[in-house]
Amino acid sequence: MRTGALAAGSVAVALVLSACGSGGDSPKSRQSGPGFNVATKEVVNPSDKKGGTLKLVNQADPDSFDPARAYYAYVWNFMKGYYVRTLLTNEAKPGEDGLKLVPDLAQALPEITDGGKTYTFKLKTGVKFEDGSPITSKDIKYGIERNFAIDVLSGGPPYLKDVLDQGQKYPGPYQDTDPNKLGLKSVETPDDSTIIFKLAEPLSDFSYLLAMPGAGPVPQAKDKGDKYGEHPVSSGPYKFQSYDQGKKAVLVRNDQWDPKSDTVRKALPDQIDFTIGTAVDEIDNQLLSGEVDIDTGQTGVQQAAQAKILLDAVNKSNADSPNTGFIRYFSISTKVAPFDNIHCRKAVQYATDKVTMQTARGGADAGGDIGFNMLPPNIAGHDDYDPFNTKSGKPQIDKAKEELAACGHPNGFDTVIATRNAGKEPKTAEALQAALKNVGINARLDPTEPSLYFRSTIGAPSNVAAKGYGLMMAGWGADFPTGYGYLSVLVDGRNISASGNNNYAELNDPEINTLIDQAKAESDPKKAADIWQNIDHKVMDASVMVPFVYDKALNYRNPRVTNVFVTEYYGMYDFGSLGVQ
């Protein structure tokens, strides 16, 4: 199937080149670049030139511009690059250097005492919000407390709440009885420039939690609850000039940002125009014609554009296909019949045609390598464990039918596949649907708008049950580059919540939960990785997730964009470093 698609693409490329010869294409869009995949290794078009407007685009709204609610990787990249500073952040460099944490609002890396249970930070002097008010330790504490208000601010990651609550059952600032709304006992602010975190148990990955946007400062006086994402207050180099939901966001320079206090962000463009709601094929056309600069989704171009890029030397020299660190997979609900029976879940494992799903995402070059377990190759602990023998990607019809008989449905059954209605996901879901039909499993597709999908469609167990979602398409990248940062939020049964739930399978295995606690407390990275490997094996044995590709994304960069490189922290272009010629 991939060969046929590329052959068809050859004709399209010939037509494009013919149009170029007759003046049908703009000179900028035909400018040769430094080479394919160069931005995965080094900075492309390095420059310190300021000015111009960077033109970003996406098919859909972000899940939220509120740092406590956002959970899309590209949104974190966007926040970190432009308007949310945190105590620590990842270094803005290509390669392994980009995985390192460096001080941001903090003067230095934390002072860690009390056997790894106390983290103390001093803030830099002179840092301000966009309105000129100083950023204090209390603003950071208040921003962290907002993560606890899941009744108002659903959708964000659970880590800070899980680690810092420590039995207090803190409800968040909106129900806080403390007169200053700063009643979270595990975070202390003895003065405006000092913040101290008191952990109940050592957590070797705790610093990574403080690099998440949800650990950024929020001025209490400007907090509008669930409306805060409509105009978040900037602590970074840019601020929102406007945001028209579903259409466009415009960011301009924040004149209160002091570049002397910020060693990470380049802040090169004068303005950032972020157009929202453009159809995916039109995004690809605009990228190749030079009308826009970068697709923030960073999930790769569509099939027609893949051929135009991979078969054209000039276009290919302006493209990259990095390993994103994501696994594309689907969850199998343990609460929706007949998937409460493990043999029905195993039937799906064997029936899945991973090759056709890989092809729907762009093949090995633009979609990724066949996936077979739930730790990605860039996370310590990944190994070759493949309990269902799926490395070939081909379905095993006989084994699927044996499992159907074992679960009492020898002739198959009906179910529903939940999926987003954007990007490559509909075609991927259709490939799954077709494979399941070959063994008698009739799966109806139920597509949903992307901005709602993870928060309230598959992120609400009550909705999953009501809609009968047996299978749920998903993709996941590490919140930070460790086993804890990747896998725990997907499989820890104690984190299952009524909304914004990320354990879509609703797996709650006491043995897995105990191993997670052991891994979190282990200070030796090698020993921790071994525990996460064991957890991964047990998750796969439970047959609650079906990984089908270790993701790659074929992304195009407008030749006029400067300082382009792939940050390994997010597996995509580092937005905050980009400039324009």
Side-chain angles (χ1 to χ4, degrees):
M1 291 178 67
R2 182 158 59 91
T3 302
L6 290 174
S10 301
V11 178
V13 169
L15 293 173
V16 169
L17 294 175
S18 176
C20 292
S22 61
D25 211 351
S26 68
K28 286 184 179 179
S29 67
R30 296 300 300 163
Q31 181 180 334
S32 183
F36 183 59
N37 261 343
V38 171
T40 64
K41 309 176 188 70
E42 61 189 62
V43 179
V44 170
N45 297 333
S47 173
D48 290 323
K49 182 181 178 182
K50 295 182 181 292
T53 298
L54 178 67
K55 298 177 181 179
L56 305 178
V57 66
N58 199 292
Q59 190 268 341
D61 264 305
D63 51 346
S64 180
F65 280 130
D66 185 329
R69 305 188 75 179
Y71 215 161
Y72 283 1
Y74 91 82
V75 182
W76 283 15
N77 188 5
F78 186 89
M79 289 178 172
K80 173 248 178 176
Y82 299 131
Y83 69 93
V84 178
R85 296 184 68 181
T86 44
L87 288 166
L88 305 171
T89 192
N90 64 292
E91 182 69 282
K93 291 182 179 179
E96 291 186 2
D97 287 342
L99 297 173
K100 297 176 182 177
L101 294 181
V102 294
D104 190 2
L105 289 175
Q107 294 180 13
L109 295 175
E111 178 187 359
I112 304 174
T113 56
D114 191 25
K117 294 191 290 186
T118 299
Y119 285 65
T120 302
F121 293 89
K122 288 284 187 179
L123 271 61
K124 293 175 180 174
T125 58
V127 288
K128 300 177 181 178
F129 288 114
E130 65 179 70
D131 62 359
S133 60
I135 297 172
T136 72
S137 58
K138 294 177 177 61
D139 297 312
I140 295 173
K141 178 175 180 177
Y142 183 81
I144 289 172
E145 287 181 338
R146 295 177 78 248
N147 292 267
F148 289 73
I150 58 175
D151 56 328
V152 178
L153 306 175
S154 63
Y159 301 101
L160 288 166
K161 177 173 64 68
D162 294 342
V163 171
L164 295 174
D165 188 64
Q166 301 171 14
Q168 183 182 346
K169 299 190 183 303
Y170 181 68
Y174 310 124
Q175 298 182 46
D176 194 338
T177 57
D178 181 89
N180 297 314
K181 304 298 182 185
L182 295 170
L184 180 61
K185 296 177 181 178
S186 54
V187 182
E188 300 174 359
T189 54
D191 57 59
D192 284 351
S193 64
T194 305
I195 186 165
I196 303 170
F197 298 89
K198 300 277 192 177
L199 308 186
E201 301 292 340
L203 175 59
S204 56
D205 289 343
F206 182 66
S207 289
Y208 289 108
L209 309 190
L210 302 178
M212 294 180 177
V218 173
Q220 187 179 148
K222 300 292 180 68
D223 184 12
K224 297 182 179 179
D226 63 353
K227 303 296 183 185
Y228 183 73
E230 296 176 3
H231 192 124
V233 180
S234 175
S235 53
Y238 296 91
K239 62 183 179 181
F240 280 86
Q241 182 183 79
S242 62
Y243 173 37
D244 188 356
Q245 189 170 358
K247 295 181 179 179
K248 192 173 186 177
V250 176
L251 282 74
V252 295
R253 290 194 182 277
N254 171 15
D255 61 4
Q256 299 298 317
W257 172 74
D258 183 359
K260 293 179 182 177
S261 74
D262 193 336
T263 60
V264 176
R265 297 160 186 84
K266 286 276 191 179
L268 296 181
D270 288 334
Q271 181 169 311
I272 296 134
D273 286 359
F274 183 12
T275 302
I276 300 163
T278 305
V280 288
D281 289 316
E282 180 57 22
I283 288 175
D284 295 346
N285 292 337
Q286 291 180 7
L287 284 167
L288 290 169
S289 69
E291 293 176 58
V292 297
D293 296 319
I294 298 289
D295 175 7
T296 62
Q298 293 288 283
T299 56
V301 299
Q302 306 304 301
Q303 191 173 61
Q306 289 168 13
K308 292 178 182 179
I309 291 170
L310 294 174
L311 298 177
D312 180 279
V314 173
N315 286 340
K316 190 173 181 179
S317 70
N318 291 299
D320 303 282
S321 182
N323 288 299
T324 67
F326 274 70
I327 295 179
R328 302 295 168 181
Y329 71 99
F330 59 90
S331 268
I332 308 178
S333 174
T334 60
K335 304 299 182 184
V336 173
F339 294 123
D340 50 351
N341 186 313
I342 191 173
H343 293 288
C344 286
R345 302 199 297 269
K346 288 183 176 181
V348 170
Q349 294 274 5
Y350 288 120
T352 299
D353 187 337
K354 295 185 180 182
V355 172
T356 60
M357 297 180 77
Q358 178 194 50
T359 301
R361 296 198 62 82
D365 294 326
D369 302 319
I370 296 294
F372 44 84
N373 65 45
M374 283 301 297
L375 273 181
N378 65 328
I379 298 293
H382 170 80
D383 66 356
D384 291 332
Y385 190 64
D386 182 18
F388 303 105
N389 193 31
T390 62
K391 288 180 186 175
S392 72
K394 298 177 181 178
Q396 302 166 72
I397 303 297
D398 290 343
K399 284 187 173 293
K401 290 183 176 180
E402 289 176 9
E403 295 295 343
L404 285 172
C407 79
H409 293 272
N411 298 317
F413 50 84
D414 295 339
T415 191
V416 182
I417 300 175
T419 180
R420 289 176 287 182
N421 63 1
K424 302 173 183 178
E425 206 150 289
K427 293 293 185 185
T428 310
E430 289 170 9
L432 173 62
Q433 180 187 44
L436 296 180
K437 192 169 184 62
N438 289 333
V439 298
I441 300 174
N442 298 306
R444 176 175 61 84
L445 301 185
D446 189 10
T448 302
E449 207 279 321
S451 65
L452 302 174
Y453 184 69
F454 289 109
R455 180 178 301 137
S456 57
T457 302
I458 66 171
S462 60
N463 190 63
V464 171
K467 297 291 184 66
Y469 292 149
L471 308 172
M472 293 160 278
M473 300 296 296
W476 199 259
D479 295 329
F480 42 90
T482 69
Y484 177 43
Y486 185 86
L487 194 55
S488 67
V489 74
L490 301 181
V491 302
D492 191 332
R494 298 160 295 186
N495 290 340
I496 298 170
S497 58
S499 63
N501 175 52
N502 299 292
N503 183 341
Y504 312 122
E506 296 181 67
L507 175 67
N508 192 4
D509 184 317
E511 187 175 3
I512 289 175
N513 296 346
T514 298
L515 286 170
I516 289 173
D517 290 340
Q518 293 175 10
K520 286 163 57 178
E522 178 55 65
S523 59
D524 184 325
K526 175 63 172 65
K527 292 179 180 178
D530 289 344
I531 300 172
W532 285 111
Q533 184 180 94
N534 189 14
I535 293 169
D536 180 34
H537 292 186
K538 292 185 180 302
V539 169
M540 290 305 302
D541 291 343
S543 192
V544 295
M545 298 177 183
V546 183
F548 52 89
V549 291
Y550 298 131
D551 192 62
K552 292 181 182 178
L554 179 64
N555 287 310
Y556 185 84
R557 39 181 156 82
N558 190 326
R560 82 182 190 118
V561 179
T562 63
N563 288 299
V564 190
F565 64 89
V566 173
T567 169
E568 290 195 13
Y569 205 87
Y570 294 113
M572 60 184 73
Y573 297 136
D574 187 82
F575 297 157
S577 297
L578 301 175
V580 291
Q581 292 175 352

